[in-house]
Amino acid sequence: MEDKIKVQAKNLTKRFGDLLVLDDISFDVKEGEFLCIVGPTGCGKTTFLNCLTKLFDITAGEILVDGNPIDCKKNNISYILQETSTMEWLTVEQNVRFGLDIKKVDKKLADERVAEMLEIVGLTKFKDYYPRQLSVSMIQRVVIARAFATYPELLLMDEPYGQLDIDLRFKLEDELVALWKKTGTTIIFITHNVEEAVYLGERIMVLTNKPTKVKHILPCELERPRDVTTKDFVDIRNEVTDLIKWW
Ligand SMILES: Nc1ncnc2c1ncn2[C@@H]1O[C@H](COP(=O)(O)OP(=O)(O)O)[C@@H](O)[C@H]1O
Ligand SMILES: [Mg+2]
């Protein structure tokens, strides 16, 4: 069966005044796929997500979701920005429930969803805590549980674990994969960390420096949970690193 296309960038160009950032970029994201995008700082990774979600106007070309321009009322999309955090004035449970309330999801279903999400990220016991009482990793878990709670059709993540210690990152990444498998959400995950991209992605897209083009898209079909020490893992990591050396 043909893979269904979830997101399609067609000849996407984005300029800020004279600065050409995204230069005639085209690629597809398959439904249910976990795509990692790797690119140098300032190449336009965040800009791409902002164009997709219509926070920025596109200079030329288009981005389609299920064949149409995105409609924020119709499409169910979660976007974890680079600086996304919790809402300090809400408990863990209320944070996770937030998107469900906005979408006016039936109370019984919302209760179930919140319980399910808290269980997967191991925060059930902490549901009545406030963010100030939590560690950094627990806060990241609340953010991810909140993002998945509505079972979004598309989840956009912009370097969410950039600042975290490596052991913690692996744990959060494993929980992210578990949530992805459970919900079937299409994920576009941005990182500048090659190991993270190979640990998570089904495909890895490498971008060039500005003006930015797609340098290469490579498949990454290693079994999960992935082991960063295996030869297959190291081979793909080296391949991506080589592509990056000539950014
Ligand atoms: N709102 C904006 N106005 C002007 N220039 C911008 C704006 N947002 C981003 N840029 C520029 O576009 C380029 C890409 O930025 P960004 O998408 O944040 O890069 P990345 O996320 O890959 O690090 C940078 O040169 C940045 O300065
Ligand atoms: Mg960015």
Side-chain angles (χ1 to χ4, degrees):
M1 207 178 79
E2 274 283 292
D3 286 319
K4 194 168 164 233
I5 303 294
K6 186 71 192 173
V7 180
Q8 196 174 23
K10 285 165 89 173
N11 305 102
L12 172 66
T13 296
K14 176 62 185 174
R15 289 177 177 275
F16 294 103
D18 290 339
L19 180 71
L20 176 57
V21 179
L22 302 173
D23 183 13
D24 195 19
I25 285 184
S26 297
F27 65 93
D28 295 339
V29 187
K30 289 175 256 177
E31 187 162 82
E33 158 166 66
F34 199 136
L35 176 76
C36 287
I37 302 182
V38 188
T41 301
C43 78
K45 301 181 297 296
T46 300
T47 298
F48 167 71
L49 295 183
N50 287 339
C51 288
L52 194 164
T53 50
K54 288 192 170 165
L55 295 171
F56 289 168
D57 289 332
I58 291 172
T59 307
E62 56 186 353
I63 308 176
L64 306 176
V65 176
D66 292 335
N68 297 304
I70 199 169
D71 175 345
C72 291
K73 288 211 183 78
K74 217 178 72 200
N75 294 112
N76 181 6
I77 293 174
S78 283
Y79 184 6
I80 301 184
L81 287 80
Q82 235 162 332
E83 60 280 3
T84 298
S85 193
T86 47
M87 287 166 277
E88 299 301 307
W89 60 97
L90 300 179
T91 64
V92 167
E93 182 177 15
Q94 289 164 343
N95 266 280
V96 175
R97 189 182 287 274
F98 190 78
L100 296 160
D101 284 345
I102 287 182
K103 289 189 190 302
K104 299 192 168 50
V105 170
D106 165 71
K107 173 152 183 341
K108 188 164 164 287
L109 177 63
D111 288 345
E112 279 170 25
R113 274 297 167 73
V114 171
E116 180 190 20
M117 293 294 135
L118 290 174
E119 190 62 36
I120 292 178
V121 299
L123 287 178
T124 306
K125 276 194 286 188
F126 301 94
K127 67 184 173 58
D128 296 325
Y129 281 49
Y130 283 88
R132 65 174 178 277
Q133 300 170 286
L134 304 179
S135 67
V136 175
S137 66
M138 289 157 93
I139 287 185
Q140 288 301 322
R141 293 189 163 99
V142 177
V143 168
I144 194 79
R146 183 178 65 202
F148 271 102
T150 62
Y151 278 23
E153 58 186 296
L154 180 61
L155 173 60
L156 310 171
M157 301 182 74
D158 194 358
E159 309 205 33
Y161 306 140
Q163 311 303 324
L164 298 180
D165 290 345
I166 186 158
D167 53 333
L168 195 59
R169 219 190 61 208
F170 279 130
K171 280 192 203 127
L172 290 165
E173 287 165 357
D174 287 341
E175 284 163 18
L176 173 60
V177 169
L179 283 161
W180 169 63
K181 292 216 152 162
K182 176 145 192 93
T183 58
T185 294
T186 307
I187 300 184
I188 302 179
F189 186 102
I190 286 175
T191 177
H192 57 252
N193 182 318
V194 177
E195 185 175 83
E196 181 169 51
V198 180
Y199 195 71
L200 291 174
E202 300 276 286
R203 286 193 306 157
I204 300 168
M205 180 163 89
V206 182
L207 298 174
T208 67
N209 252 317
K210 283 193 294 281
T212 303
K213 299 260 188 201
V214 176
K215 182 149 193 187
H216 195 56
I217 300 180
L218 57 154
C220 184
E221 287 156 352
L222 304 167
E223 269 179 39
R224 298 179 192 270
R226 293 181 175 171
D227 179 347
V228 297
T229 61
T230 60
K231 179 172 184 307
D232 288 348
F233 190 100
V234 173
D235 283 350
I236 298 181
R237 200 188 66 205
N238 288 344
E239 203 181 335
V240 178
T241 306
D242 278 343
L243 287 164
I244 286 169
K245 278 189 190 150
W246 288 279
W247 258 341

mmCIF file of all heavy atoms in Angstrom, residues 79-98 118 121 123 126-127 129-147:
data_model
loop_
_atom_site.group_PDB
_atom_site.id
_atom_site.type_symbol
_atom_site.label_atom_id
_atom_site.label_comp_id
_atom_site.label_asym_id
_atom_site.label_seq_id
_atom_site.Cartn_x
_atom_site.Cartn_y
_atom_site.Cartn_z
ATOM 1 N N TYR A 79 2.300 21.797 19.092
ATOM 2 C CA TYR A 79 3.583 22.419 18.743
ATOM 3 C C TYR A 79 4.332 22.689 20.049
ATOM 4 O O TYR A 79 3.900 23.501 20.852
ATOM 5 C CB TYR A 79 3.291 23.720 17.990
ATOM 6 C CG TYR A 79 4.480 24.482 17.441
ATOM 7 C CD1 TYR A 79 5.775 23.987 17.493
ATOM 8 C CD2 TYR A 79 4.285 25.725 16.845
ATOM 9 C CE1 TYR A 79 6.843 24.704 16.962
ATOM 10 C CE2 TYR A 79 5.347 26.452 16.309
ATOM 11 C CZ TYR A 79 6.621 25.929 16.382
ATOM 12 O OH TYR A 79 7.685 26.650 15.861
ATOM 13 N N ILE A 80 5.417 21.960 20.240
ATOM 14 C CA ILE A 80 6.263 22.207 21.409
ATOM 15 C C ILE A 80 7.394 23.114 20.956
ATOM 16 O O ILE A 80 8.313 22.693 20.254
ATOM 17 C CB ILE A 80 6.809 20.888 21.992
ATOM 18 C CG1 ILE A 80 5.641 19.979 22.403
ATOM 19 C CG2 ILE A 80 7.720 21.182 23.181
ATOM 20 C CD1 ILE A 80 6.058 18.690 23.076
ATOM 21 N N LEU A 81 7.308 24.374 21.330
ATOM 22 C CA LEU A 81 8.313 25.351 20.925
ATOM 23 C C LEU A 81 9.603 25.132 21.692
ATOM 24 O O LEU A 81 9.612 24.489 22.743
ATOM 25 C CB LEU A 81 7.812 26.785 21.179
ATOM 26 C CG LEU A 81 6.730 27.298 20.240
ATOM 27 C CD1 LEU A 81 5.370 26.791 20.631
ATOM 28 C CD2 LEU A 81 6.721 28.807 20.225
ATOM 29 N N GLN A 82 10.671 25.751 21.180
ATOM 30 C CA GLN A 82 11.982 25.621 21.808
ATOM 31 C C GLN A 82 11.898 25.963 23.304
ATOM 32 O O GLN A 82 12.545 25.343 24.125
ATOM 33 C CB GLN A 82 12.972 26.542 21.100
ATOM 34 C CG GLN A 82 14.193 25.808 20.612
ATOM 35 C CD GLN A 82 14.963 26.574 19.544
ATOM 36 O OE1 GLN A 82 14.421 27.370 18.794
ATOM 37 N NE2 GLN A 82 16.247 26.320 19.474
ATOM 38 N N GLU A 83 11.116 26.970 23.632
ATOM 39 C CA GLU A 83 11.078 27.433 25.028
ATOM 40 C C GLU A 83 9.790 27.026 25.758
ATOM 41 O O GLU A 83 9.473 27.556 26.809
ATOM 42 C CB GLU A 83 11.282 28.953 25.083
ATOM 43 C CG GLU A 83 10.267 29.793 24.344
ATOM 44 C CD GLU A 83 10.515 29.857 22.832
ATOM 45 O OE1 GLU A 83 11.448 29.212 22.320
ATOM 46 O OE2 GLU A 83 9.744 30.536 22.146
ATOM 47 N N THR A 84 9.079 26.040 25.222
ATOM 48 C CA THR A 84 7.821 25.631 25.850
ATOM 49 C C THR A 84 8.036 25.155 27.288
ATOM 50 O O THR A 84 8.966 24.412 27.562
ATOM 51 C CB THR A 84 7.164 24.474 25.068
ATOM 52 O OG1 THR A 84 6.864 24.922 23.757
ATOM 53 C CG2 THR A 84 5.879 24.008 25.748
ATOM 54 N N SER A 85 7.167 25.606 28.185
ATOM 55 C CA SER A 85 7.221 25.073 29.542
ATOM 56 C C SER A 85 5.805 24.813 30.041
ATOM 57 O O SER A 85 4.861 24.816 29.260
ATOM 58 C CB SER A 85 7.968 26.035 30.451
ATOM 59 O OG SER A 85 8.258 25.370 31.657
ATOM 60 N N THR A 86 5.712 24.584 31.330
ATOM 61 C CA THR A 86 4.404 24.322 31.914
ATOM 62 C C THR A 86 3.737 25.641 32.287
ATOM 63 O O THR A 86 4.366 26.688 32.299
ATOM 64 C CB THR A 86 4.581 23.508 33.209
ATOM 65 O OG1 THR A 86 5.609 24.121 33.962
ATOM 66 C CG2 THR A 86 4.939 22.085 32.910
ATOM 67 N N MET A 87 2.478 25.561 32.637
ATOM 68 C CA MET A 87 1.772 26.722 33.174
ATOM 69 C C MET A 87 1.873 26.641 34.690
ATOM 70 O O MET A 87 1.338 25.713 35.310
ATOM 71 C CB MET A 87 0.348 26.721 32.660
ATOM 72 C CG MET A 87 0.342 27.115 31.179
ATOM 73 S SD MET A 87 -1.183 26.781 30.338
ATOM 74 C CE MET A 87 -0.976 25.073 29.928
ATOM 75 N N GLU A 88 2.575 27.626 35.244
ATOM 76 C CA GLU A 88 2.968 27.589 36.663
ATOM 77 C C GLU A 88 1.784 27.567 37.617
ATOM 78 O O GLU A 88 1.897 27.064 38.728
ATOM 79 C CB GLU A 88 3.823 28.828 36.990
ATOM 80 C CG GLU A 88 5.104 28.918 36.187
ATOM 81 C CD GLU A 88 5.974 27.703 36.402
ATOM 82 O OE1 GLU A 88 6.255 27.388 37.566
ATOM 83 O OE2 GLU A 88 6.340 27.048 35.400
ATOM 84 N N TRP A 89 0.699 28.171 37.173
ATOM 85 C CA TRP A 89 -0.446 28.331 38.071
ATOM 86 C C TRP A 89 -1.390 27.130 38.033
ATOM 87 O O TRP A 89 -2.391 27.078 38.731
ATOM 88 C CB TRP A 89 -1.203 29.628 37.713
ATOM 89 C CG TRP A 89 -1.723 29.620 36.305
ATOM 90 C CD1 TRP A 89 -2.981 29.289 35.894
ATOM 91 C CD2 TRP A 89 -0.991 29.947 35.118
ATOM 92 N NE1 TRP A 89 -3.067 29.373 34.541
ATOM 93 C CE2 TRP A 89 -1.876 29.783 34.033
ATOM 94 C CE3 TRP A 89 0.333 30.365 34.865
ATOM 95 C CZ2 TRP A 89 -1.470 30.023 32.708
ATOM 96 C CZ3 TRP A 89 0.722 30.601 33.557
ATOM 97 C CH2 TRP A 89 -0.168 30.440 32.503
ATOM 98 N N LEU A 90 -1.067 26.148 37.209
ATOM 99 C CA LEU A 90 -1.901 24.951 37.119
ATOM 100 C C LEU A 90 -1.144 23.751 37.676
ATOM 101 O O LEU A 90 0.088 23.690 37.586
ATOM 102 C CB LEU A 90 -2.270 24.664 35.659
ATOM 103 C CG LEU A 90 -3.062 25.748 34.921
ATOM 104 C CD1 LEU A 90 -3.313 25.317 33.477
ATOM 105 C CD2 LEU A 90 -4.397 26.014 35.622
ATOM 106 N N THR A 91 -1.892 22.789 38.235
ATOM 107 C CA THR A 91 -1.252 21.549 38.702
ATOM 108 C C THR A 91 -0.821 20.713 37.495
ATOM 109 O O THR A 91 -1.195 21.006 36.356
ATOM 110 C CB THR A 91 -2.234 20.696 39.535
ATOM 111 O OG1 THR A 91 -3.310 20.300 38.659
ATOM 112 C CG2 THR A 91 -2.783 21.454 40.718
ATOM 113 N N VAL A 92 -0.090 19.650 37.788
ATOM 114 C CA VAL A 92 0.341 18.721 36.730
ATOM 115 C C VAL A 92 -0.882 18.234 35.952
ATOM 116 O O VAL A 92 -0.923 18.276 34.720
ATOM 117 C CB VAL A 92 1.106 17.530 37.361
ATOM 118 C CG1 VAL A 92 1.280 16.400 36.365
ATOM 119 C CG2 VAL A 92 2.452 18.009 37.904
ATOM 120 N N GLU A 93 -1.883 17.788 36.679
ATOM 121 C CA GLU A 93 -3.086 17.258 36.032
ATOM 122 C C GLU A 93 -3.772 18.332 35.171
ATOM 123 O O GLU A 93 -4.188 18.077 34.042
ATOM 124 C CB GLU A 93 -4.060 16.739 37.092
ATOM 125 C CG GLU A 93 -5.302 16.143 36.477
ATOM 126 C CD GLU A 93 -6.257 15.558 37.509
ATOM 127 O OE1 GLU A 93 -6.100 15.868 38.708
ATOM 128 O OE2 GLU A 93 -7.140 14.807 37.098
ATOM 129 N N GLN A 94 -3.875 19.538 35.717
ATOM 130 C CA GLN A 94 -4.536 20.617 34.964
ATOM 131 C C GLN A 94 -3.730 21.004 33.728
ATOM 132 O O GLN A 94 -4.308 21.350 32.687
ATOM 133 C CB GLN A 94 -4.733 21.836 35.871
ATOM 134 C CG GLN A 94 -5.814 21.603 36.930
ATOM 135 C CD GLN A 94 -5.751 22.628 38.064
ATOM 136 O OE1 GLN A 94 -4.741 23.317 38.246
ATOM 137 N NE2 GLN A 94 -6.821 22.716 38.831
ATOM 138 N N ASN A 95 -2.404 20.946 33.836
ATOM 139 C CA ASN A 95 -1.567 21.201 32.671
ATOM 140 C C ASN A 95 -1.853 20.201 31.556
ATOM 141 O O ASN A 95 -2.020 20.575 30.394
ATOM 142 C CB ASN A 95 -0.084 21.125 33.051
ATOM 143 C CG ASN A 95 0.504 22.482 33.390
ATOM 144 O OD1 ASN A 95 0.845 23.257 32.491
ATOM 145 N ND2 ASN A 95 0.609 22.788 34.671
ATOM 146 N N VAL A 96 -1.911 18.926 31.927
ATOM 147 C CA VAL A 96 -2.107 17.879 30.922
ATOM 148 C C VAL A 96 -3.508 17.974 30.315
ATOM 149 O O VAL A 96 -3.725 17.690 29.143
ATOM 150 C CB VAL A 96 -1.855 16.482 31.547
ATOM 151 C CG1 VAL A 96 -2.172 15.375 30.556
ATOM 152 C CG2 VAL A 96 -0.401 16.377 32.025
ATOM 153 N N ARG A 97 -4.450 18.443 31.119
ATOM 154 C CA ARG A 97 -5.839 18.540 30.677
ATOM 155 C C ARG A 97 -6.096 19.764 29.781
ATOM 156 O O ARG A 97 -7.139 19.862 29.121
ATOM 157 C CB ARG A 97 -6.730 18.626 31.923
ATOM 158 C CG ARG A 97 -8.212 18.533 31.690
ATOM 159 C CD ARG A 97 -8.950 18.688 33.007
ATOM 160 N NE ARG A 97 -8.808 17.516 33.828
ATOM 161 C CZ ARG A 97 -9.611 16.454 33.732
ATOM 162 N NH1 ARG A 97 -10.599 16.435 32.883
ATOM 163 N NH2 ARG A 97 -9.406 15.408 34.493
ATOM 164 N N PHE A 98 -5.155 20.677 29.779
ATOM 165 C CA PHE A 98 -5.383 21.996 29.194
ATOM 166 C C PHE A 98 -5.944 21.952 27.758
ATOM 167 O O PHE A 98 -6.972 22.561 27.458
ATOM 168 C CB PHE A 98 -4.070 22.799 29.220
ATOM 169 C CG PHE A 98 -4.232 24.238 28.870
ATOM 170 C CD1 PHE A 98 -4.739 25.136 29.798
ATOM 171 C CD2 PHE A 98 -3.896 24.699 27.608
ATOM 172 C CE1 PHE A 98 -4.900 26.473 29.476
ATOM 173 C CE2 PHE A 98 -4.056 26.037 27.275
ATOM 174 C CZ PHE A 98 -4.557 26.923 28.212
ATOM 175 N N LEU A 118 -0.626 10.558 32.185
ATOM 176 C CA LEU A 118 0.158 10.643 33.426
ATOM 177 C C LEU A 118 0.826 9.308 33.735
ATOM 178 O O LEU A 118 1.968 9.255 34.191
ATOM 179 C CB LEU A 118 -0.736 11.073 34.590
ATOM 180 C CG LEU A 118 -1.225 12.527 34.535
ATOM 181 C CD1 LEU A 118 -2.219 12.805 35.653
ATOM 182 C CD2 LEU A 118 -0.048 13.500 34.621
ATOM 183 N N VAL A 121 3.961 8.699 31.399
ATOM 184 C CA VAL A 121 5.155 9.480 31.751
ATOM 185 C C VAL A 121 5.502 9.372 33.248
ATOM 186 O O VAL A 121 6.409 10.050 33.722
ATOM 187 C CB VAL A 121 5.021 10.968 31.337
ATOM 188 C CG1 VAL A 121 4.840 11.090 29.834
ATOM 189 C CG2 VAL A 121 3.887 11.652 32.085
ATOM 190 N N LEU A 123 3.813 10.122 36.080
ATOM 191 C CA LEU A 123 3.541 11.255 36.969
ATOM 192 C C LEU A 123 2.219 11.131 37.724
ATOM 193 O O LEU A 123 1.765 12.100 38.330
ATOM 194 C CB LEU A 123 3.536 12.564 36.166
ATOM 195 C CG LEU A 123 4.900 13.082 35.685
ATOM 196 C CD1 LEU A 123 4.717 14.348 34.861
ATOM 197 C CD2 LEU A 123 5.833 13.345 36.855
ATOM 198 N N PHE A 126 2.113 12.412 41.113
ATOM 199 C CA PHE A 126 2.435 13.834 41.250
ATOM 200 C C PHE A 126 1.356 14.735 40.633
ATOM 201 O O PHE A 126 1.589 15.906 40.384
ATOM 202 C CB PHE A 126 3.787 14.121 40.584
ATOM 203 C CG PHE A 126 4.910 13.327 41.187
ATOM 204 C CD1 PHE A 126 5.297 12.116 40.636
ATOM 205 C CD2 PHE A 126 5.555 13.782 42.330
ATOM 206 C CE1 PHE A 126 6.326 11.363 41.209
ATOM 207 C CE2 PHE A 126 6.582 13.048 42.904
ATOM 208 C CZ PHE A 126 6.968 11.837 42.340
ATOM 209 N N LYS A 127 0.184 14.165 40.375
ATOM 210 C CA LYS A 127 -0.800 14.912 39.593
ATOM 211 C C LYS A 127 -1.262 16.212 40.263
ATOM 212 O O LYS A 127 -1.646 17.149 39.575
ATOM 213 C CB LYS A 127 -1.991 14.037 39.211
ATOM 214 C CG LYS A 127 -2.869 13.576 40.341
ATOM 215 C CD LYS A 127 -3.928 12.635 39.771
ATOM 216 C CE LYS A 127 -4.771 11.979 40.816
ATOM 217 N NZ LYS A 127 -5.492 12.873 41.709
ATOM 218 N N TYR A 129 0.664 18.136 42.158
ATOM 219 C CA TYR A 129 1.802 19.035 42.387
ATOM 220 C C TYR A 129 1.729 20.220 41.418
ATOM 221 O O TYR A 129 1.147 20.123 40.340
ATOM 222 C CB TYR A 129 3.124 18.303 42.141
ATOM 223 C CG TYR A 129 3.574 17.408 43.271
ATOM 224 C CD1 TYR A 129 2.708 16.487 43.858
ATOM 225 C CD2 TYR A 129 4.887 17.458 43.729
ATOM 226 C CE1 TYR A 129 3.151 15.657 44.882
ATOM 227 C CE2 TYR A 129 5.335 16.623 44.749
ATOM 228 C CZ TYR A 129 4.445 15.725 45.318
ATOM 229 O OH TYR A 129 4.883 14.901 46.324
ATOM 230 N N TYR A 130 2.380 21.292 41.809
ATOM 231 C CA TYR A 130 2.549 22.438 40.911
ATOM 232 C C TYR A 130 3.948 22.368 40.290
ATOM 233 O O TYR A 130 4.871 21.797 40.898
ATOM 234 C CB TYR A 130 2.363 23.750 41.675
ATOM 235 C CG TYR A 130 0.904 24.045 41.941
ATOM 236 C CD1 TYR A 130 0.278 23.566 43.082
ATOM 237 C CD2 TYR A 130 0.149 24.764 41.012
ATOM 238 C CE1 TYR A 130 -1.070 23.796 43.314
ATOM 239 C CE2 TYR A 130 -1.202 24.997 41.227
ATOM 240 C CZ TYR A 130 -1.809 24.510 42.382
ATOM 241 O OH TYR A 130 -3.138 24.738 42.581
ATOM 242 N N PRO A 131 4.114 22.965 39.101
ATOM 243 C CA PRO A 131 5.409 22.872 38.420
ATOM 244 C C PRO A 131 6.595 23.274 39.297
ATOM 245 O O PRO A 131 7.663 22.665 39.207
ATOM 246 C CB PRO A 131 5.245 23.825 37.226
ATOM 247 C CG PRO A 131 3.787 23.741 36.912
ATOM 248 C CD PRO A 131 3.102 23.606 38.247
ATOM 249 N N ARG A 132 6.442 24.259 40.172
ATOM 250 C CA ARG A 132 7.585 24.696 40.982
ATOM 251 C C ARG A 132 8.070 23.602 41.925
ATOM 252 O O ARG A 132 9.173 23.679 42.451
ATOM 253 C CB ARG A 132 7.247 25.974 41.763
ATOM 254 C CG ARG A 132 6.166 25.783 42.794
ATOM 255 C CD ARG A 132 5.930 27.010 43.658
ATOM 256 N NE ARG A 132 4.847 26.740 44.594
ATOM 257 C CZ ARG A 132 3.554 26.840 44.310
ATOM 258 N NH1 ARG A 132 3.191 27.274 43.111
ATOM 259 N NH2 ARG A 132 2.636 26.546 45.201
ATOM 260 N N GLN A 133 7.243 22.586 42.139
ATOM 261 C CA GLN A 133 7.630 21.484 43.032
ATOM 262 C C GLN A 133 8.298 20.336 42.258
ATOM 263 O O GLN A 133 8.633 19.318 42.840
ATOM 264 C CB GLN A 133 6.384 20.933 43.737
ATOM 265 C CG GLN A 133 5.662 21.967 44.589
ATOM 266 C CD GLN A 133 4.323 21.467 45.076
ATOM 267 O OE1 GLN A 133 3.365 21.378 44.308
ATOM 268 N NE2 GLN A 133 4.255 21.118 46.357
ATOM 269 N N LEU A 134 8.481 20.519 40.952
ATOM 270 C CA LEU A 134 8.963 19.420 40.112
ATOM 271 C C LEU A 134 10.394 19.645 39.648
ATOM 272 O O LEU A 134 10.869 20.782 39.564
ATOM 273 C CB LEU A 134 8.081 19.292 38.859
ATOM 274 C CG LEU A 134 6.586 19.108 39.054
ATOM 275 C CD1 LEU A 134 5.902 19.036 37.695
ATOM 276 C CD2 LEU A 134 6.287 17.861 39.868
ATOM 277 N N SER A 135 11.066 18.536 39.286
ATOM 278 C CA SER A 135 12.409 18.624 38.698
ATOM 279 C C SER A 135 12.281 18.974 37.209
ATOM 280 O O SER A 135 11.195 18.905 36.623
ATOM 281 C CB SER A 135 13.121 17.289 38.848
ATOM 282 O OG SER A 135 12.470 16.321 38.043
ATOM 283 N N VAL A 136 13.412 19.298 36.611
ATOM 284 C CA VAL A 136 13.432 19.650 35.185
ATOM 285 C C VAL A 136 12.867 18.518 34.330
ATOM 286 O O VAL A 136 12.089 18.745 33.402
ATOM 287 C CB VAL A 136 14.890 19.954 34.742
ATOM 288 C CG1 VAL A 136 14.955 20.208 33.244
ATOM 289 C CG2 VAL A 136 15.435 21.140 35.501
ATOM 290 N N SER A 137 13.243 17.293 34.639
ATOM 291 C CA SER A 137 12.774 16.175 33.814
ATOM 292 C C SER A 137 11.273 15.965 33.974
ATOM 293 O O SER A 137 10.575 15.621 33.021
ATOM 294 C CB SER A 137 13.524 14.897 34.155
ATOM 295 O OG SER A 137 13.214 14.496 35.466
ATOM 296 N N MET A 138 10.768 16.182 35.184
ATOM 297 C CA MET A 138 9.328 16.021 35.389
ATOM 298 C C MET A 138 8.559 17.097 34.615
ATOM 299 O O MET A 138 7.500 16.827 34.041
ATOM 300 C CB MET A 138 8.994 16.081 36.877
ATOM 301 C CG MET A 138 9.477 14.830 37.616
ATOM 302 S SD MET A 138 9.700 15.166 39.363
ATOM 303 C CE MET A 138 8.127 14.690 40.016
ATOM 304 N N ILE A 139 9.112 18.280 34.569
ATOM 305 C CA ILE A 139 8.458 19.345 33.803
ATOM 306 C C ILE A 139 8.404 18.972 32.317
ATOM 307 O O ILE A 139 7.373 19.135 31.660
ATOM 308 C CB ILE A 139 9.175 20.692 34.041
ATOM 309 C CG1 ILE A 139 8.830 21.155 35.456
ATOM 310 C CG2 ILE A 139 8.779 21.731 32.998
ATOM 311 C CD1 ILE A 139 9.328 22.491 35.859
ATOM 312 N N GLN A 140 9.503 18.415 31.810
ATOM 313 C CA GLN A 140 9.499 17.973 30.408
ATOM 314 C C GLN A 140 8.442 16.894 30.169
ATOM 315 O O GLN A 140 7.839 16.821 29.108
ATOM 316 C CB GLN A 140 10.875 17.425 30.017
ATOM 317 C CG GLN A 140 11.944 18.492 29.881
ATOM 318 C CD GLN A 140 11.580 19.534 28.840
ATOM 319 O OE1 GLN A 140 11.009 19.222 27.793
ATOM 320 N NE2 GLN A 140 11.870 20.788 29.128
ATOM 321 N N ARG A 141 8.239 16.064 31.184
ATOM 322 C CA ARG A 141 7.224 15.007 31.047
ATOM 323 C C ARG A 141 5.812 15.593 31.010
ATOM 324 O O ARG A 141 4.947 15.106 30.299
ATOM 325 C CB ARG A 141 7.343 14.011 32.212
ATOM 326 C CG ARG A 141 8.614 13.245 32.164
ATOM 327 C CD ARG A 141 8.634 12.119 33.190
ATOM 328 N NE ARG A 141 9.674 11.195 32.816
ATOM 329 C CZ ARG A 141 10.893 11.172 33.369
ATOM 330 N NH1 ARG A 141 11.196 11.966 34.357
ATOM 331 N NH2 ARG A 141 11.792 10.324 32.916
ATOM 332 N N VAL A 142 5.598 16.620 31.786
ATOM 333 C CA VAL A 142 4.286 17.280 31.756
ATOM 334 C C VAL A 142 4.061 17.889 30.361
ATOM 335 O O VAL A 142 2.983 17.761 29.774
ATOM 336 C CB VAL A 142 4.188 18.385 32.835
ATOM 337 C CG1 VAL A 142 2.845 19.107 32.723
ATOM 338 C CG2 VAL A 142 4.361 17.798 34.232
ATOM 339 N N VAL A 143 5.093 18.519 29.836
ATOM 340 C CA VAL A 143 4.974 19.159 28.514
ATOM 341 C C VAL A 143 4.599 18.124 27.448
ATOM 342 O O VAL A 143 3.700 18.345 26.634
ATOM 343 C CB VAL A 143 6.307 19.870 28.144
ATOM 344 C CG1 VAL A 143 6.317 20.284 26.684
ATOM 345 C CG2 VAL A 143 6.527 21.084 29.048
ATOM 346 N N ILE A 144 5.265 16.986 27.493
ATOM 347 C CA ILE A 144 5.022 15.978 26.457
ATOM 348 C C ILE A 144 3.649 15.323 26.651
ATOM 349 O O ILE A 144 2.914 15.060 25.696
ATOM 350 C CB ILE A 144 6.183 14.948 26.408
ATOM 351 C CG1 ILE A 144 6.121 14.123 25.141
ATOM 352 C CG2 ILE A 144 6.242 14.032 27.581
ATOM 353 C CD1 ILE A 144 6.642 14.829 23.971
ATOM 354 N N ALA A 145 3.276 15.095 27.917
ATOM 355 C CA ALA A 145 1.952 14.502 28.190
ATOM 356 C C ALA A 145 0.846 15.449 27.720
ATOM 357 O O ALA A 145 -0.156 15.023 27.140
ATOM 358 C CB ALA A 145 1.811 14.218 29.685
ATOM 359 N N ARG A 146 1.048 16.744 27.948
ATOM 360 C CA ARG A 146 0.062 17.737 27.505
ATOM 361 C C ARG A 146 -0.042 17.738 25.981
ATOM 362 O O ARG A 146 -1.123 17.814 25.414
ATOM 363 C CB ARG A 146 0.468 19.119 28.018
ATOM 364 C CG ARG A 146 -0.527 20.211 27.679
ATOM 365 C CD ARG A 146 -0.098 21.545 28.258
ATOM 366 N NE ARG A 146 1.138 22.012 27.669
ATOM 367 C CZ ARG A 146 1.963 22.900 28.226
ATOM 368 N NH1 ARG A 146 1.690 23.413 29.401
ATOM 369 N NH2 ARG A 146 3.063 23.273 27.622
ATOM 370 N N ALA A 147 1.120 17.632 25.315
ATOM 371 C CA ALA A 147 1.117 17.677 23.849
ATOM 372 C C ALA A 147 0.399 16.471 23.240
ATOM 373 O O ALA A 147 -0.243 16.579 22.207
ATOM 374 C CB ALA A 147 2.559 17.735 23.339
#
